[in-house]
C-alpha cells in the first residue's frame, strides 16, 4: 500500500472529532457550491477543519510529502468536490 494511502487511512478516522470553528478556508471567499455548503454547516465545517489538521500533521511526519499532497488533491477532486452542495454526500466523503 502506498505511503499516501496508509497516511490517509490513519487520519481519516479522526474526522469524527468536532471542532467549533469555521471551515479551513475563508468562507468569505467560498467560490464553489462545495465550499459554500461546508461553510453553511457547522458539522461539515468541523469535519473540514479536522481533515486539514490531520493533513498538516501527516505532512509534518511524511517521508514522501509529494505523494501525500497528490493523494489529498485527488481526494478533493474525486470525492469531496463532486458532491457540490449535497450535504449527505459531503459527510460521507469526509468519513
Amino acid at each position: 500500500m502506498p505511503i499516501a494511502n496508509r497516511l490517509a487511512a490513519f487520519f481519516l478516522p479522526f474526522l469524527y472529532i468536532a471542532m467549533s470553528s469555521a471551515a479551513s478556508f475563508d468562507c468569505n471567499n467560498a467560490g464553489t457550491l462545495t465550499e459554500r455548503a461546508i461553510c453553511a454547516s457547522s458539522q461539515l465545517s468541523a469535519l473540514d477543519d479536522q481533515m486539514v489538521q490531520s493533513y498538516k500533521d501527516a505532512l509534518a511526519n511524511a517521508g514522501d510529502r509529494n505523494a501525500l499532497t497528490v493523494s489529498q488533491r485527488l481526494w478533493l477532486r474525486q470525492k469531496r468536490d463532486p458532491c457540490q452542495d449535497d450535504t449527505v454526500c459531503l459527510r460521507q466523503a469526509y468519513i
Side-chain angles (χ1 to χ4, degrees):
M1 177 185 285
I3 184 104
N5 289 348
R6 287 189 300 229
L7 289 171
F10 171 75
F11 67 77
L12 284 176
F14 296 108
L15 294 176
Y16 288 106
I17 301 170
M19 295 168 48
S20 60
S21 61
S24 62
F25 50 87
D26 184 354
C27 286
N28 292 322
N29 295 323
T32 67
L33 287 173
T34 300
E35 290 173 346
R36 288 191 292 268
I38 292 167
C39 290
S41 166
S42 60
Q43 181 186 31
L44 291 174
S45 182
L47 289 171
D48 188 70
D49 280 342
Q50 186 60 42
M51 172 63 86
V52 117
Q53 186 58 55
S54 296
Y55 176 69
K56 287 178 183 178
D57 293 346
L59 274 177
N61 297 307
D64 186 354
R65 294 173 58 117
N66 187 52
L68 185 60
T69 300
V70 168
S71 177
Q72 180 69 0
R73 288 180 183 155
L74 282 172
W75 175 80
L76 288 168
R77 190 169 45 250
Q78 295 175 353
K79 298 288 185 187
R80 189 195 79 169
D81 292 347
C83 293
Q84 296 196 7
D85 60 351
D86 181 341
T87 58
V88 172
C89 177
L90 285 165
R91 267 191 294 282
Q92 290 173 343
Y94 279 100
I95 296 174

